């Protein structure tokens, strides 16, 4: 267990969620987790967004339990069965309409005023402790001795707006090849995707809503210099991918972009939304964040706040570890910005510069460009 992360004494809950004719056992939650934590766990299992979930029978004093309510207050018995209503299916009209901008990106807030309130709160540290204990990590490549750690978000950080997951995209007016049949699925983060069912093969298809030709590929929405960036970073850093979606979608994106099979660098492991926690902030209420303490708790011999940096286009995702977070400019409207976006190229130089340091925790990544310009001016 990493230093600063207390052992949780809260009782673990065992629940059974019934949805879509299936039962989903849950045992990674405790009495200190909230209803929203439960919904985020269900999002990872089913792909149904928390705001679309309706949990029948989950009540307090005769009324539906509020998202911020702790599960321990509800006095749930072991293996309590809860019925969930909600769907990840989308209508064809919704998919073919131009999607709105990502509200998380547009409405992100400055985290500095919230940090003191949540970073060291006991209940949040206890949630991290439970993730360390219960979240299962599949290590793809073992940590390397002497390397720092780079944690990367996916959508809007590495890939452009409305990420594509296949070699062609379905568009309004585009012909359906080979008489294909499609159904709708959601990746659990609001991205709407067509699943092609043809010759007993399921292949992911996604309409990004940017009205381009039928033949465009997912690779064209890759952020410029992605592979060069990862190749350079790998010389000094182990690389971890962390997305607020489900693991199957992360794996699909990494495969489509050639990240998981690239010979010039290796991904150490990947984390999905189930590794996140929710925290209550005074001004913004309950929000989901990516606590680096989960990684440090599991791999404390290799990684700590002294050698870790995290890139995310949403600043509140590193609310629990603001000193280690760098808010990257979101890569939006890829068809307009792909020729002029050089964010990864410049950040590659920054990573190379700070890799020389023994301790990264004293840096203020908010001013990374000034730091880089100063260092380059001295050389």
């Amino acid at each position: 267990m990493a230093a600063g992360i207390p052992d949780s004494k809260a009782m673990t809950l065992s629940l059974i969620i019934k949805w879509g004719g299936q039962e989903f056992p849950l045992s990674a939650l405790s009495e200190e987790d909230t209803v929203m934590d439960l919904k985020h766990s269900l999002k990872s299992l089913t792909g149904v967004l928390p705001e679309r979930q309706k949990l029948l029978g989950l009540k307090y004093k005769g009324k539906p339990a509020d998202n911020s309510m702790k599960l321990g207050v509800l006095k749930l018995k072991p293996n309590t069965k809860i019925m969930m209503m909600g769907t990840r299916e989308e209508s064809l009209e919704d998919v073919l309409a131009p999607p709105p901008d990502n509200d998380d990106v547009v409405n992100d807030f400055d985290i500095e005023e919230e940090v003191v309130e949540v970073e060291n709160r006991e209940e949040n540290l206890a949630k991290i402790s439970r993730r360390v204990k219960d979240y299962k990590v599949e290590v793809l490549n073992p940590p390397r001795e002497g390397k720092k750690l780079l944690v990367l978000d996916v959508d809007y950080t590495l890939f452009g707006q409305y990420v594509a997951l296949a070699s062609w995209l379905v568009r309004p007016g585009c012909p359906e090849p080979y008489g294909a049949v499609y159904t709708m699925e959601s990746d659990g983060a609001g991205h709407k995707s067509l699943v092609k069912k043809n010759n007993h093969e399921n292949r992911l298809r996604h309409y990004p809503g940017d009205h381009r030709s039928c033949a465009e590929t997912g690779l064209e929405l890759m952020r410029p210099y992605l592979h060069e960036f990862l190749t350079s970073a790998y010389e000094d850093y182990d690389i971890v991918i962390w997305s607020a979606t489900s693991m199957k979608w992360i794996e699909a994106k990494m495969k489509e972009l050639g990240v998981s099979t690239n010979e010039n660098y290796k991904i150490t492991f990947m984390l999905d939304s189930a590794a996140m926690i929710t925290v209550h902030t005074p001004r913004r209420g309950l929000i989901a964040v990516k606590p680096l303490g989960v990684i440090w708790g599991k791999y404390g011999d290799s990684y700590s706040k002294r050698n870790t940096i995290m890139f995310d286009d949403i600043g509140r995702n590193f609310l629990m570890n603001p000193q280690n977070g760098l808010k990257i400019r979101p890569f939006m409207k890829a068809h307009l910005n792909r020729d002029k976006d050089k964010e990864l190229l410049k950040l590659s130089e920054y990573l190379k510069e700070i890799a020389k340091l023994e301790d990264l925790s004293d840096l203020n990544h908010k001013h990374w460009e000034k730091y880089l310009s100063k260092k380059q001016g001295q050389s």
Side-chain angles (χ1 to χ4, degrees), residues 13-214:
L13 296 175
S14 57
L15 305 174
I16 298 174
I17 309 300
K18 300 181 68 175
W19 174 77
Q22 294 180 279
E23 292 189 351
F24 298 87
L26 280 175
S27 59
L29 295 169
S30 81
E31 293 180 332
E32 291 299 310
D33 284 309
T34 64
V35 173
M36 181 57 77
D37 290 317
L38 170 59
K39 289 184 175 181
H40 274 283
S41 295
L42 291 175
K43 179 187 76 171
S44 181
L45 287 173
T46 67
V48 179
L49 297 173
E51 56 267 28
R52 289 187 174 183
Q53 297 176 20
K54 184 175 181 181
L55 302 178
L56 303 182
L58 205 62
K59 295 185 177 182
Y60 180 70
K61 294 184 177 180
K63 297 182 179 180
D66 185 82
N67 284 336
S68 61
M69 184 167 292
K70 292 184 178 181
L71 297 176
V73 176
L74 303 178
K75 305 296 183 182
L76 300 170
K77 296 180 180 179
N79 297 317
T80 293
K81 290 190 177 183
I82 300 172
M83 179 76 73
M84 184 181 85
M85 295 181 64
T87 178
R88 61 186 179 192
E89 298 284 321
E90 302 288 349
S91 69
L92 186 61
E93 291 79 7
D94 286 342
V95 174
L96 298 183
D101 288 333
N102 187 325
D103 288 339
D104 280 342
V105 175
V106 175
N107 299 324
D108 193 28
F109 57 90
D110 193 334
I111 66 171
E112 292 179 357
E113 60 196 67
E114 304 279 2
V115 169
V116 177
E117 298 288 344
V118 304
E119 187 177 9
N120 297 309
R121 187 176 293 171
E122 191 72 18
E123 64 188 66
N124 296 334
L125 296 177
K127 289 181 180 180
I128 294 174
S129 178
R130 290 194 293 277
R131 295 295 183 275
V132 171
K133 177 183 177 182
D134 298 325
Y135 184 82
K136 305 302 182 185
V137 176
E138 180 183 354
V139 176
L140 305 176
N141 295 282
R144 297 172 296 161
E145 185 176 355
K147 299 299 181 182
K148 293 179 170 59
L149 175 63
L150 172 63
V151 181
L152 296 171
D153 176 45
V154 180
D155 293 334
Y156 297 93
T157 297
L158 304 183
F159 303 146
Q161 191 176 25
Y162 308 116
V163 177
L165 298 180
S167 57
W168 59 272
L169 304 172
V170 178
R171 308 266 190 237
C174 293
E176 293 182 355
Y178 313 114
V181 177
Y182 299 88
T183 61
M184 299 312 307
E185 286 194 7
S186 168
D187 66 355
H191 303 128
K192 306 168 183 178
S193 300
L194 290 169
V195 176
K196 175 187 175 186
K197 295 188 175 180
N198 190 34
N199 297 328
H200 305 290
E201 292 184 3
N202 293 342
R203 296 185 64 194
L204 300 175
R205 299 288 186 257
H206 183 87
Y207 171 70
D210 58 8
H211 304 296
R212 295 187 286 154
S213 72
C214 303

Side-chain angles (χ1 to χ4, degrees), residues 281-335:
T281 64
R283 296 183 65 246
R284 303 287 174 164
L286 204 65
I287 61 173
V289 301
K290 300 175 181 177
L292 291 171
V294 174
I295 298 176
W296 300 336
K298 284 183 170 292
Y299 305 101
D301 291 339
S302 299
Y303 311 127
S304 70
K305 66 179 181 179
R306 292 171 55 87
N307 67 357
T308 302
I309 183 170
M310 178 180 184
F311 290 1
D312 204 303
D313 62 292
I314 300 177
R316 63 176 177 268
N317 275 336
F318 39 80
L319 188 62
M320 290 293 292
N321 312 99
Q323 199 66 29
N324 300 92
L326 187 152
K327 186 178 177 181
I328 192 172
R329 293 181 180 88
F331 183 47
M332 304 177 73
K333 299 181 179 178
H335 59 296

Side-chain angles (χ1 to χ4, degrees), residues 249-297:
W249 290 91
I250 300 173
E251 291 173 345
K253 291 175 183 179
M254 295 299 103
K255 182 177 180 180
E256 177 67 20
L257 273 295
V259 169
S260 56
T261 57
N262 197 289
E263 295 182 354
N264 296 319
Y265 57 83
K266 302 296 181 184
I267 303 301
T268 303
F269 54 82
M270 300 185 291
L271 305 178
D272 62 7
S273 61
M276 299 173 67
I277 67 169
T278 57
V279 300
H280 188 275
T281 64
R283 296 183 65 246
R284 303 287 174 164
L286 204 65
I287 61 173
V289 301
K290 300 175 181 177
L292 291 171
V294 174
I295 298 176
W296 300 336

